[in-house]
Amino acid sequence: MTQALYERFLRGLAVSPDAPALRLATETVTYARAHETALLWAGSLLAADQTPRVIGVLAGKGFESYVGILAGLYTGATVVPLHPDFPVVRTRRMLDLSGVAAIIVDAKGLASLPDIYGDELDIPVFAPGADIDGRFTAIEANPAHALTEPKPVQPSDTAYMLFTSGSTGRPKGVPISHGSTHHYFELLDRRYDFAASDVFSQTFDLNFDCAMFDLFCAWGAGASVQYIPPAAYRDIPAFLAEHDVTVWFSTPSAIGLIRKMGGLDKDSMPGLRWSFFAGEALRMTDTADWQQAASASTVENLYGPTELTVTVTGHRWDPATSPSQGINGLVPIGEIHEGHEYVLVTPDDGFSDVEGELCITGPQMTAGYLDPEDNKGRFLEHDGKTWYRTGDRVRKLDGGVLVYLGRLDAQVQVQGWRVELAEIEHALRECAGVEDAVTVTRSADGTTELVVFYTGEVTSPVVLAKQLRTILPVGMLPRQYQHVGEFPLNSNRKVDRPTLATRANDMLAVAGSKG
């Protein structure tokens, strides 16, 4: 065995050839069918271009996307999962940056290509089962070209490439190697007891790295991946029971949505064995509520930026000890993965044994961004090694457990006060009637103001301010409190803070026009 990511699917194929690898909205796909189709598609792609270095997959969560990712890996090329609902300018930027040489699409992806490429429609397109007009260079599925086995790769070869948002607004390409994924999934195999009988939820879009956890943990065990449609959130306990889901993974924002729908009653999700959360800070109150609803489940808080291959730390929730380890009501992120090192960098670029920016080096770290210009400021050279700067501030507790304190850019100056936005949010959640809170900043008359959006009961701003004065100094009190029924979420189901910041500025503009 080499370190190829696709070998995890081959392991599942050997264990469960006739079992479902995928349970989609309208069909179930066995390991054998997915494998045979991926070999056919991979061979057809290679027949069109013997060396397609990068293959894009522009499709929703359906047969074309999942099998397309597998087929792309089988060719030995780099796979770039793309979201068909993203703005066309952003998608075109990602296609150009990554150098996609051929693209696999579903019907929606195919329909979007003229808008993405305009008159430059010379990219080879593989659209299984669809009629492609003469504007495209079509790749046909030809059984004569089907591979007999996946193409070999080297550990240093890039398995997939994902794009994160850059500070300049343009996406940054993050190449992840087969060697990095091999270390990651081998470690998870030792940590968890996933089996062929498991059914994994699939809540994440495929351009989000946590989706790789679902797919390749499941496939490495011969288990099934269950697509979770948006409508399922109306009654998640019933959906999980109907489909025998045993492994749940989502962003923490899903907990609030499921609670709102009445899905967190005691023992409402008895079939879950494992529950994972990542992508955002996990609140202790949410974790306790989830644990009560999924009492047979082991709950873990996972942490890691895309640049460190999905997740690089983990904390297993223990209701007896975890609450005493958290800060600002947040669950610890745990200890870093075996084989990695970390340092904590202070604001003056020194090093601390207790608190600072988390910088990590090890086998899961990307070799650098697709565009070398994006590497500036994101990597640290220290002690003869290169470290990835996460931009996250953490505190180290006794025993090496790490606790997330917030983003470096979430620490702001307000009227001379150094304010942690996470501290404001934690204080708001302690106020009567408030379920959750998000704090953003805006500029007004040359100063920085704090604006809070909160869910729960509609409460007078005077009442909220009065309660906060018992917790926070006056200089840290928000300028405005805005009730919302729910927070806007981005495509990865994380709270969309930029949208809330825009709303805060819009509210200021409206107030100014009335004045």
Side-chain angles (χ1 to χ4, degrees), residues 492-506:
N492 293 328
R493 303 200 67 79
K494 297 183 183 181
V495 174
D496 193 340
R497 289 178 179 266
T499 293
L500 291 177
T502 299
R503 288 188 193 176
N505 284 308
D506 290 344

Side-chain angles (χ1 to χ4, degrees), residues 171-433:
K172 297 188 298 184
V174 184
I176 301 297
S177 71
H178 288 275
S180 292
T181 61
H182 176 76
H183 182 277
Y184 180 65
F185 288 108
E186 288 290 299
L187 184 148
L188 298 188
D189 285 344
R190 296 191 295 273
R191 185 176 177 90
Y192 307 119
D193 63 347
F194 301 142
S197 57
D198 278 316
V199 178
F200 285 67
S201 70
Q202 221 286 281
T203 67
F204 299 101
D205 288 323
L206 295 176
N207 63 314
F208 187 27
D209 56 351
C210 288
M212 300 299 137
F213 177 103
D214 300 331
L215 295 182
F216 292 99
C217 280
W219 289 346
S224 302
V225 174
Q226 173 67 56
Y227 165 62
I228 308 293
Y233 287 90
R234 297 171 186 164
D235 191 347
I236 279 291
F239 185 90
L240 299 185
E242 178 184 355
H243 297 278
D244 299 316
V245 175
T246 58
V247 182
W248 175 268
F249 191 17
S250 73
T251 61
S253 294
I255 300 176
L257 177 58
I258 295 168
R259 180 191 290 110
K260 184 177 180 180
M261 297 298 174
L264 293 186
D265 292 339
K266 183 175 176 56
D267 295 324
S268 62
M269 298 181 284
L272 290 181
R273 298 197 315 114
W274 291 97
S275 298
F276 302 101
F277 298 96
E280 297 173 304
L282 179 63
R283 295 167 51 194
M284 286 191 282
T285 53
D286 284 345
T287 310
D289 287 351
W290 185 276
Q291 181 73 87
Q292 174 183 264
S295 56
S297 172
T298 300
V299 181
E300 287 203 356
N301 184 29
L302 306 182
Y303 162 88
T306 301
E307 291 84 350
L308 292 168
T309 311
V310 192
T311 62
V312 74
T313 75
H315 175 79
R316 188 161 296 179
W317 172 258
D318 184 336
T321 60
S322 296
S324 64
Q325 296 177 311
I327 296 175
N328 289 333
L330 302 179
V331 177
I333 61 173
E335 300 179 53
I336 67 164
H337 284 176
E338 174 186 323
H340 293 75
E341 300 175 72
Y342 71 94
V343 291
L344 304 180
V345 178
T346 60
D348 60 358
D349 290 330
F351 297 91
S352 170
D353 292 329
V354 178
E355 184 175 315
E357 180 188 5
L358 179 61
C359 301
I360 299 178
T361 189
Q364 289 178 211
M365 186 181 73
T366 183
Y369 294 107
L370 183 61
D371 184 348
E373 285 295 309
D374 291 327
N375 292 337
K376 295 177 180 177
R378 301 311 310 154
F379 293 88
L380 170 72
E381 299 298 328
H382 168 65
D383 197 25
K385 302 171 186 175
T386 301
W387 311 69
Y388 176 70
R389 305 191 69 144
T390 66
D392 292 320
R393 293 188 310 106
V394 303
R395 183 175 301 166
K396 183 171 71 172
L397 305 180
D398 293 341
V401 172
L402 300 177
V403 183
Y404 175 77
L405 299 178
R407 293 288 299 169
L408 292 180
D409 53 12
Q411 188 179 78
V412 298
Q413 291 286 129
V414 180
Q415 297 179 5
W417 289 88
R418 190 173 71 176
V419 177
E420 301 281 357
L421 299 186
E423 183 178 359
I424 304 292
E425 293 163 358
H426 178 57
L428 257 296
R429 296 181 193 119
E430 296 297 308
C431 294

